[in-house]
Amino acid sequence: MKFLVITDAHLIQQDGKKVAYAPYVKEMDLWMRHVDEVTFICPDTIKGTLLAQAFQRQDFKQIGLRRLEFHTFWIALISILTVPYQFFVLCFAFAKADHIHLRCPGNLALLASIAQILFPSKKKTAKYAGNFDPNAAQPIAYRWQKRILSNTFLTKNIDILAYGKWPDQSENVMSFFTATYRRNQITALSIRDWNGPFKSVFVGAMGANKRPLEILEIIKSLTKDGIDISIDYYGDGPLKNEMAVKIDEYNLHDKVRLHGNVDNSIVTEAYKNAHFSFLLSKSEGWPKAVAEAMFWGCVPVASAVSCVPWMLGCTNKQLQREEA
């Protein structure tokens, strides 16, 4: 089988190997075990750092395309001018593929969603890693690709893997979640002392979407109220330096620790020993930080976005009572 993957995720060369964002690589390694030939269409350069991991399989092909971005006038103009070429590349690759796999959401994924309409007989899957809530406020590009792929008239022969179970979805949409651990990794839970002091963790990118600064304010407030709680931050990103400044300003060095990106085994041990895991994201798909925390008996404190209420077993009535 010739398996074609279209994604906005960067795939680059590092130390002589093809690498990409680590959690994405782990998932794609599973898909790639079951096919003969693999081709990726995706950006092949990146500015800044990448939490990278090498693919287990290195014999795949890669077609590099410019990342379609629209945050400034000139970058938007360049992106618009490259759209016809990228559309042609996609159609040419679609014609040769046996199975087309779209990784959504993203601008390249939107273009691929439009191109796939021309190939109704091709077997297709789409992994929608973002928020599939039909009522969520999202960029127009995200809303368009959800509507195109969900439309059974425009899109044929596809399974859309969407996080969470949402009402009034088309037959194209399949409720889905990502497994985090294997059965043989299940161990007895650590016994925690719920009389304090309390340990908490944050696992994720230090960016505005994850709201690490707001979590710091919570820790500051709880400490001020006499609650003995500490937090360990695991992850890197643009807000890390500002976090360090705030920790100095609040004199919370003994309560807040910034670890940056660390090996997954270290994060696992942190979950095992923590009482709480904080994740106050503005938007999510399937937040592994919530699933992993629960797996190790760590209580998640999370914002009610995307499928998080579904993950935690909350009903709409429960959420309405909490909001009231």
Side-chain angles (χ1 to χ4, degrees):
M1 175 190 289
K2 295 180 180 179
F3 187 63
L4 175 66
V5 183
I6 297 90
T7 176
D8 285 80
H10 299 86
L11 198 163
I12 62 175
Q13 292 278 345
Q14 194 174 87
D15 298 326
K17 291 188 176 181
K18 298 171 184 175
V19 305
Y21 180 56
Y24 164 64
V25 170
K26 291 178 182 178
E27 184 179 330
M28 290 312 304
D29 280 340
L30 297 176
W31 287 79
M32 293 163 67
R33 291 176 188 173
H34 305 285
V35 295
D36 303 310
E37 297 180 22
V38 183
T39 301
F40 283 83
I41 298 181
C42 58
D44 57 0
T45 59
I46 187 173
K47 295 179 181 179
T49 59
L50 179 68
L51 179 59
Q53 179 174 316
F55 290 89
Q56 291 178 357
R57 182 173 173 177
Q58 292 282 312
D59 64 344
F60 58 83
K61 300 176 184 177
Q62 179 182 5
I63 301 173
L65 289 180
R66 179 186 178 85
R67 188 175 178 87
L68 297 174
E69 298 177 308
F70 301 91
H71 51 273
T72 69
F73 173 78
W74 291 111
I75 290 177
L77 179 61
I78 294 172
S79 293
I80 291 171
L81 292 175
T82 63
V83 163
Y85 168 74
Q86 295 200 11
F87 189 83
F88 173 80
V89 170
L90 289 169
C91 289
F92 186 75
F94 285 1
K96 297 193 296 182
D98 298 314
H99 188 113
I100 300 167
H101 181 56
L102 309 183
R103 306 289 299 192
C104 305
N107 292 329
L108 181 57
L110 172 59
L111 190 61
S113 298
I114 297 171
Q116 62 80 29
I117 297 174
L118 304 176
F119 301 86
S121 62
K122 293 282 185 178
K123 177 63 179 175
K124 297 177 283 287
T125 50
K127 167 70 181 297
Y128 197 91
N131 185 355
F132 210 77
D133 183 352
N135 298 317
Q138 293 182 318
I140 190 169
Y142 289 17
R143 299 199 301 271
W144 281 355
Q145 57 201 277
K146 284 198 294 187
R147 290 174 182 173
I148 292 170
L149 295 175
S150 300
N151 189 304
T152 55
F153 176 77
L154 295 176
T155 303
K156 307 289 186 182
N157 208 19
I158 192 171
D159 290 322
I160 305 168
L161 307 177
Y163 290 136
K165 191 172 184 179
W166 307 103
D168 305 319
Q169 297 299 314
S170 72
E171 62 184 22
N172 285 347
V173 180
M174 299 178 62
S175 180
F176 178 78
F177 69 91
T178 299
T180 304
Y181 299 105
R182 298 181 182 275
R183 291 185 183 276
N184 61 11
Q185 292 178 278
I186 298 174
T187 61
L189 297 180
S190 302
I191 298 176
R192 294 164 171 85
D193 183 359
W194 290 97
N195 295 313
F198 300 104
K199 296 180 180 179
S200 61
V201 295
F202 167 93
V203 180
M206 288 282 203
N209 179 59
K210 301 287 186 180
R211 300 202 289 187
L213 288 167
E214 285 79 355
I215 296 171
L216 179 63
E217 294 295 332
I218 293 174
I219 299 300
K220 175 191 173 186
S221 179
L222 291 173
T223 302
K224 185 178 179 181
D225 290 341
I227 298 174
D228 191 357
I229 185 169
S230 62
I231 186 167
D232 289 272
Y233 282 84
Y234 296 95
D236 211 336
L239 293 180
K240 187 177 179 181
N241 290 337
E242 186 175 350
M243 287 286 298
V245 171
K246 288 289 186 181
I247 293 168
D248 285 338
E249 179 184 336
Y250 297 156
N251 193 25
L252 289 174
H253 300 94
D254 59 333
K255 299 294 183 182
V256 183
R257 291 168 291 273
L258 305 179
H259 299 275
N261 291 330
V262 299
D263 187 79
N264 190 57
S265 62
I266 297 175
V267 175
T268 297
E269 288 303 311
Y271 279 131
K272 288 180 178 180
N273 295 303
H275 297 82
F276 304 101
S277 173
F278 285 93
L279 188 73
L280 304 184
S281 302
K282 297 177 183 178
S283 179
E284 280 291 351
W286 172 266
K288 289 182 62 181
V290 173
E292 291 176 354
M294 289 192 289
F295 185 89
W296 298 114
C298 178
V299 177
V301 180
S303 49
V305 296
S306 185
C307 63
V308 171
W310 183 64
M311 294 173 71
L312 300 183
C314 298
T315 65
N316 288 333
K317 290 184 179 179
Q318 288 174 322
L319 290 173
Q320 288 169 2
R321 285 200 298 270
E322 291 170 5
E323 290 172 356

